[in-house]
Amino acid sequence: GIYPHFMNTGMFKGAKNSDRLFSNVWTGRDMLEPEFVADETVKAIEFEKREVILPWQLGHWLYFANNLPHIAQDEAAIVSNSMKEFTGG
C-alpha cells in the first residue's frame, strides 16, 4: 500500500502538522506535493515494494503507534490536533 501523509490538495485543506508533537522535525515539511507522491508510487511499482510510507520518516511512528493502547493513540491524536482547521472533503 501507499501511505502518504497530508498532501497539498483540496482533500486536506485546512489540515496541518502540529508543532506540539514536533511533526515538522519528523517529516521535514507541512504538506506533501501530489507530484512527489506520484513519483514515489511509480518507484514503488518499479521496485515491487510492498508498502511505501511518505514521508519515510513517519514509518517508525506508524509501527510504534500500532502497538500503543487505543487510549494512548487517541490522546496523541488529541494533542496533535492536526485536523482542527480541516475544511476539505
Side-chain angles (χ1 to χ4, degrees), residues 61-74:
W61 168 251
L62 291 178
Y63 290 113
F64 171 73
N66 285 332
N67 292 312
L68 292 174
H70 290 287
I71 192 164
Q73 292 177 27
D74 292 345

Side-chain angles (χ1 to χ4, degrees), residues 7-47:
M7 289 192 296
N8 191 15
T9 66
M11 180 176 176
F12 295 100
K13 185 176 180 183
K16 60 183 174 181
N17 289 335
S18 167
D19 290 337
R20 294 183 75 186
L21 293 179
F22 306 103
S23 298
N24 291 332
V25 171
W26 300 110
T27 64
R29 65 186 80 199
D30 285 328
M31 293 278 185
L32 297 174
E33 293 301 322
E35 297 81 9
F36 171 74
V37 174
D39 290 343
E40 292 299 309
T41 300
V42 170
K43 288 179 193 174
I45 292 168
E46 291 174 348
F47 291 100

